[in-house]
Amino acid sequence: MRKDNSPDLVVDDPDPSWAARGKDLADELYKLLGVLALHVEHIGSTAVPGMAAKPVLDLQVSVRDLEEAERAFAGALADRGFALAPYRQDHVPAGSNDDLARWTKRLWTRRGSEGPDVNLHVRVVGSPNERLALLFRDWLRAHPEAVPSYARFKQRLAEAVPDLATYADVKDPVVDLVVAVAEPWAQATGWQVPATMTARPAARRP
């Protein structure tokens, strides 16, 4: 079995610097992308303290319109080493009958240029995939006892599969299990989509 040795299929031990690097990058992108970027959040495993992760920062940009954002962001992101990926559809949790159109996105990636490697997920504000990314992160932050098990699963999985596509296919149902537990927690605690890292203030009316 030929093994993919790219950073996308290497799960490293937790790095305490990821949190600060993620925040710095979120602040940078918030300024770079202008008013269409409503929120920018550090998401994914590198945003969870103590979590093993691929050495690639995941950032989420919330926008009102994906096509408008794609046109507006293209030049500025290309200048920073980002390339638009062909992936435009997020995984829909098992058992959901939701409209696939509500789970669309745009994805830019950066590899091997100045600054950290990045997956930049652009999603519609208020969409279920925007919410899921934040809920997953916040549930794990609130439940550090679950972090070692999920981290170990990812490390073993990365060792066992040949490529990123297989890794994602196996990991998605496990993410669904975490979300199934996280949803009752969100309801019990009153959790809501946060906008705590970088959020644009509401426009003032004249």
Short mmCIF file of all heavy atoms in Angstrom, two decimals, residues 4 22 54 69 80-81 109 128 132 135 148 162 168 184:
data_model
loop_
_atom_site.label_atom_id
_atom_site.label_comp_id
_atom_site.label_asym_id
_atom_site.label_seq_id
_atom_site.Cartn_x
_atom_site.Cartn_y
_atom_site.Cartn_z
N ASP A 4 0.44 8.12 1.45
CA ASP A 4 0.51 9.56 1.23
C ASP A 4 1.22 10.19 2.43
O ASP A 4 0.72 10.15 3.55
CB ASP A 4 -0.92 10.11 1.10
CG ASP A 4 -0.96 11.62 0.89
OD1 ASP A 4 0.11 12.24 0.88
OD2 ASP A 4 -2.07 12.15 0.72
N GLY A 22 -3.36 30.37 15.19
CA GLY A 22 -4.70 30.42 14.63
C GLY A 22 -5.35 31.77 14.84
O GLY A 22 -6.01 32.31 13.94
N LYS A 54 -3.43 17.22 12.39
CA LYS A 54 -2.60 17.45 11.22
C LYS A 54 -1.99 18.84 11.35
O LYS A 54 -2.65 19.76 11.83
CB LYS A 54 -3.44 17.34 9.94
CG LYS A 54 -4.07 15.97 9.74
CD LYS A 54 -4.74 15.83 8.38
CE LYS A 54 -5.91 16.78 8.19
NZ LYS A 54 -7.05 16.42 9.09
N ALA A 69 -18.46 36.04 -2.35
CA ALA A 69 -17.20 35.92 -1.61
C ALA A 69 -16.11 35.31 -2.47
O ALA A 69 -14.94 35.74 -2.42
CB ALA A 69 -17.42 35.08 -0.36
N ARG A 80 -1.59 35.68 -1.12
CA ARG A 80 -1.07 35.12 0.13
C ARG A 80 -0.77 33.62 0.00
O ARG A 80 -0.56 32.95 0.99
CB ARG A 80 -2.07 35.33 1.27
CG ARG A 80 -2.38 36.78 1.61
CD ARG A 80 -1.15 37.56 2.03
NE ARG A 80 -1.47 38.79 2.72
CZ ARG A 80 -1.91 39.92 2.14
NH1 ARG A 80 -2.12 39.95 0.83
NH2 ARG A 80 -2.15 41.00 2.86
N GLY A 81 -0.77 33.12 -1.23
CA GLY A 81 -0.39 31.73 -1.45
C GLY A 81 -1.52 30.73 -1.39
O GLY A 81 -1.27 29.52 -1.37
N THR A 109 -6.87 26.44 0.03
CA THR A 109 -5.80 25.78 0.77
C THR A 109 -4.48 26.50 0.52
O THR A 109 -4.27 27.08 -0.56
CB THR A 109 -5.66 24.31 0.36
OG1 THR A 109 -5.30 24.22 -1.03
CG2 THR A 109 -6.95 23.55 0.62
N PRO A 128 -26.00 25.21 8.46
CA PRO A 128 -25.72 24.11 9.39
C PRO A 128 -24.26 23.69 9.40
O PRO A 128 -23.77 23.25 10.44
CB PRO A 128 -26.63 22.98 8.88
CG PRO A 128 -26.92 23.31 7.45
CD PRO A 128 -26.94 24.81 7.39
N LEU A 132 -22.00 23.49 12.70
CA LEU A 132 -21.41 22.23 13.13
C LEU A 132 -19.92 22.37 13.44
O LEU A 132 -19.43 21.81 14.43
CB LEU A 132 -21.65 21.16 12.07
CG LEU A 132 -21.21 19.74 12.43
CD1 LEU A 132 -22.15 18.72 11.80
CD2 LEU A 132 -19.78 19.45 11.99
N LEU A 135 -19.68 24.03 16.84
CA LEU A 135 -20.18 23.17 17.91
C LEU A 135 -19.18 22.05 18.22
O LEU A 135 -18.89 21.76 19.38
CB LEU A 135 -21.52 22.57 17.52
CG LEU A 135 -22.11 21.51 18.47
CD1 LEU A 135 -22.33 22.09 19.86
CD2 LEU A 135 -23.40 20.95 17.89
N PRO A 148 -8.18 12.90 24.50
CA PRO A 148 -7.19 11.85 24.23
C PRO A 148 -7.73 10.71 23.36
O PRO A 148 -7.01 10.21 22.48
CB PRO A 148 -6.82 11.34 25.63
CG PRO A 148 -7.10 12.49 26.55
CD PRO A 148 -8.32 13.14 25.96
N PRO A 162 -4.24 4.87 3.28
CA PRO A 162 -3.24 5.29 2.31
C PRO A 162 -3.34 6.75 1.88
O PRO A 162 -2.38 7.30 1.34
CB PRO A 162 -3.50 4.37 1.12
CG PRO A 162 -4.97 4.07 1.21
CD PRO A 162 -5.29 4.03 2.67
N ALA A 168 -10.75 10.81 5.46
CA ALA A 168 -11.96 11.60 5.67
C ALA A 168 -13.20 10.72 5.69
O ALA A 168 -14.11 10.92 6.51
CB ALA A 168 -12.09 12.65 4.58
N PRO A 184 -27.27 17.51 22.38
CA PRO A 184 -27.97 17.65 23.67
C PRO A 184 -27.23 18.57 24.63
O PRO A 184 -27.86 19.30 25.41
CB PRO A 184 -28.02 16.21 24.21
CG PRO A 184 -27.87 15.35 23.00
CD PRO A 184 -27.00 16.10 22.06
#
